[in-house]
């Protein structure tokens, strides 16, 4: 879930604005949860990684 649509129960403002300490803490927590290993990669890098993995898999299959 993204925090751009969440409303803070403390101040009734959107969480992404970070008006109160509760909003800011929730925003930080959600941003940390969203930052996985593939979150930093753009779609082009993901496609290139997938092509490399397929090529390596095909080479291993032919070698066996």
């Amino acid at each position: 879930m993204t925090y751009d649509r969440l409303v803070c129960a403390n101040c009734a403002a959107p969480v992404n604005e970070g008006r109160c300490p509760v909003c800011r803490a929730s925003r930080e927590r959600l941003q940390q949860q969203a930052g996985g290993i593939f979150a930093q990669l753009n779609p082009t890098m993901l496609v290139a990684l997938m092509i490399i993995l397929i090529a390596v898999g095909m080479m291993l299959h032919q070698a066996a």
Side-chain angles (χ1 to χ4, degrees):
M1 174 179 268
T2 59
Y3 63 91
D4 58 338
R5 296 182 185 253
L6 293 178
V7 176
C8 178
N10 190 43
C11 68
V15 171
N16 63 350
E17 292 179 7
R19 292 185 185 178
C20 72
V22 177
C23 290
R24 289 188 289 275
S26 295
R27 183 176 58 187
E28 283 294 318
R29 184 177 47 83
L30 288 169
Q31 285 176 345
Q32 288 175 355
Q33 287 177 352
I37 188 169
F38 294 111
Q40 304 296 328
L41 297 175
N42 60 17
T44 307
M45 292 298 291
L46 288 174
V47 169
L49 180 62
M50 188 171 50
I51 290 171
I52 290 170
L53 289 173
I54 290 171
V56 168
M58 290 177 67
M59 286 191 296
L60 289 174
H61 181 70
Q62 288 178 355

